[in-house]
Amino acid sequence: MAGLAVSIRDVASHAGVSVGTVSNVLNRPDIVAPTTRTRVLAAITELGFVPNDAARQLRRGKGRTLGLVVLDVANPFFTDVAKGVEDTTGAAGMAVIFCNSDGNLTKENAYLDLLEEQRVQGVLITPIHDASTRLHQLRDRGVLVVLLDRRSRQPDICSVSVDDRLGGELAMRHLVESGHRRIAFVGGPHRLEQVHDRYHGAIQALTDAGLTEEEHLRRYDTPALTVTAGRDAAARILGQPKNTRATAIFCANDLLALGALQVLTRQQIRVPHDIALVGYDDIEFAAAAAVPLSSVRQPRQRLGQTAAELLLDEANNPQTHQHHQVIFEPELVVRESSQ
């Protein structure tokens, strides 16, 4: 039967048994007589039959797959988070469907529709908007949901996040204590909760130091958290008069900071002597930059691992599972870009 897909009926015919017997060998081998089971397994090997596990799972109404929806697959932060998810789900015999929303709500909803059609057991998601109607619809239809890198405000949905307000405070406090009084915040869009929280954490640090947002902080909004957006923001900062422009930049993530560093270096701006620079996430490239980048470190793989563990616990122990909102504390890593 070379070149043709081998069906379960072909196996049954070859082994001289019924289709039901082949199905039992695949799903409940203990109820099949050893001699019959051996004959069926031999037929499977000879014909090269590959069981359609997906179809079997769909018939049972419960898949062995999970969906992972992130904001930006190009950001190494989410790559590390995905690694944590995959390590945990792989050990549990689960597969992960990786989806990239690009921060686009239409795209996010399209992926959620697709994942529901695929009968995934659950969805791990960094949502564009918290507690969206679509996520509640999924839960109502039996799809488990865990928020990842976003704190849930709903007591019946687990979440794993980092205290981004504290992270913003750590970065800004470091710059203020280093003597900076004209500081730029680069990040956006501010509808993203992570950006919003990091910015307001920075404002809190200014307030604690007796400084004001109006006098000491200037916001440079970006359309995305990318290297390109960081380059554009740095160009705008350098376009200001030297005696009034920022002496330090706090970027909402490391990709922005690396883009800004490229422009500063090309314009022969000495980092940190002329302008200090701090990023956020502490991705691997931060320490390897031309000027090693100070950054607020998040436990990236632990975020993914913990989110996957919560989802698997809810799947395996629906009666005893308790919903948790896990919040990790960030850590400032100071390197040459700001000291």
Side-chain angles (χ1 to χ4, degrees):
M1 304 192 68
L4 298 176
V6 178
S7 71
I8 193 171
R9 293 184 183 278
D10 297 325
V11 173
S13 176
H14 192 77
V17 298
S18 69
V19 169
T21 298
V22 178
S23 178
N24 285 335
V25 169
L26 294 171
N27 297 292
R28 296 182 297 169
D30 54 297
I31 69 171
V32 182
T35 54
T36 302
R37 188 165 68 239
T38 299
R39 194 163 70 250
V40 170
L41 293 174
I44 288 173
T45 300
E46 291 171 16
L47 297 178
F49 173 68
V50 178
N52 188 342
D53 183 67
R56 294 206 309 273
Q57 294 295 334
L58 289 177
R59 285 195 294 273
R60 295 173 185 171
K62 187 177 183 181
R64 290 199 306 173
T65 55
L66 303 176
L68 173 60
V69 185
V70 301
L71 291 174
D72 182 10
V73 70
N75 187 339
F77 167 79
F78 287 112
T79 304
D80 290 341
V81 169
K83 178 66 165 57
V85 171
E86 196 277 332
D87 285 348
T88 302
T89 56
M94 306 287 287
V96 179
I97 301 175
F98 196 17
C99 306
N100 175 40
S101 72
D102 268 333
N104 183 301
L105 187 59
T106 300
K107 196 172 180 181
E108 177 183 280
N109 286 332
Y111 273 126
L112 293 177
D113 290 342
L114 175 64
L115 292 171
E116 185 176 11
E117 291 170 7
Q118 294 297 314
R119 306 279 186 93
V120 296
Q121 194 166 65
V123 173
L124 304 167
I125 182 171
T126 306
I128 296 169
H129 299 301
D130 185 19
S132 73
T133 301
R134 187 68 186 88
L135 294 180
H136 283 286
Q137 289 175 345
L138 283 178
R139 286 183 54 81
D140 291 343
R141 294 169 184 169
V143 180
L144 306 179
V145 174
V146 173
L147 303 190
L148 179 53
D149 194 35
R150 178 70 61 83
R151 184 176 183 179
S152 173
R153 291 179 174 81
Q154 310 299 318
D156 61 340
I157 296 181
C158 287
S159 66
V160 181
S161 61
V162 173
D163 188 342
D164 283 317
R165 282 184 178 259
L166 174 59
E169 288 182 45
L170 292 174
M172 183 58 71
R173 186 182 307 137
H174 166 62
L175 293 174
V176 169
E177 290 177 351
S178 297
H180 296 283
R181 294 297 180 268
R182 299 196 305 271
I183 302 169
F185 178 88
V186 173
H190 279 254
R191 60 182 168 78
L192 293 178
E193 186 170 314
Q194 295 90 329
V195 176
H196 176 274
D197 285 353
R198 292 167 196 179
Y199 179 68
H200 285 276
I203 293 173
Q204 184 61 54
L206 283 177
T207 301
D208 291 344
L211 306 176
T212 64
E213 175 187 0
E214 294 74 19
E215 185 177 358
H216 301 285
L217 183 64
R218 182 167 180 179
R219 196 171 102 178
Y220 290 82
D221 292 352
T222 62
L225 299 168
T226 62
V227 171
T228 299
R231 287 196 291 256
D232 292 342
R236 281 184 279 156
I237 292 170
L238 293 183
Q240 301 299 311
K242 186 174 181 180
N243 63 336
T244 60
R245 75 185 182 200
T247 64
I249 303 172
F250 170 34
C251 293
N253 82 346
D254 285 342
L255 294 184
L256 291 169
L258 292 171
L261 182 60
Q262 287 180 2
V263 171
L264 295 176
T265 302
R266 288 172 186 168
Q267 296 298 318
Q268 298 183 332
I269 302 297
R270 297 173 300 167
V271 177
H273 304 288
D274 298 325
I275 296 180
L277 184 62
V278 176
Y280 204 107
D281 289 338
D282 196 31
I283 62 175
E284 184 177 350
F285 299 123
V291 179
L293 184 65
S294 295
S295 185
V296 179
R297 175 179 292 166
Q298 302 197 75
R300 304 177 301 279
Q301 290 195 25
R302 284 190 66 195
L303 283 170
Q305 291 167 355
T306 305
E309 288 168 357
L310 288 172
L311 194 147
L312 292 173
D313 182 69
E314 186 173 2
N316 296 328
N317 307 291
Q319 303 302 321
T320 60
H321 174 78
Q322 294 185 348
H323 297 292
H324 295 281
Q325 282 73 49
V326 180
I327 304 174
F328 289 104
E329 285 197 359
E331 172 191 0
L332 178 67
V333 180
V334 177
R335 300 190 180 96
E336 285 89 331
S337 72
S338 65
Q339 66 175 3

